[in-house]
Amino acid sequence: TSLDRWTRARQFRMLFGTSPSRFRTLRQLDHVRRLMSSGISLAEASVEVGFADQSHMPRRFKSAYGLTPAAWVSAIA
């Protein structure tokens, strides 16, 4: 497209209600939840989804869902 990245980001926010970066993070966290509910460990899920390290993912998870990943797994078990 002939649009600059700032215009694309504004249009994305208008369509999806969030920034492209936040959208990507939420999709990653959704994938982590699916992996953990199928029995994959927190460390393996973090690596498979593409978080920089294992400690980075739980911080993002808690900020998005209000629970730590371990508490979330306990709640669904």
Side-chain angles (χ1 to χ4, degrees):
T1 67
S2 62
L3 302 175
D4 62 77
R5 67 182 184 157
W6 306 113
T7 303
R8 284 192 311 248
R10 276 193 305 276
Q11 289 178 351
F12 187 94
R13 185 180 293 271
M14 286 176 26
L15 283 171
F16 295 102
T18 190
S19 69
S21 176
R22 175 91 172 134
F23 184 85
R24 179 180 173 264
T25 300
L26 290 173
R27 297 295 59 86
Q28 285 178 304
L29 292 172
D30 188 46
H31 191 188
V32 164
R33 285 189 322 171
R34 281 182 278 145
L35 291 173
M36 288 189 311
S37 66
S38 70
I40 292 178
S41 74
L42 176 63
E44 290 175 46
S46 294
V47 169
E48 183 169 330
V49 172
F51 281 98
D53 56 36
Q54 183 182 350
S55 66
H56 183 75
M57 191 275 290
R59 286 192 307 266
R60 296 288 186 172
F61 194 97
K62 186 170 183 177
S63 105
Y65 301 119
L67 293 170
T68 64
W72 183 81
V73 169
S74 295
I76 65 164

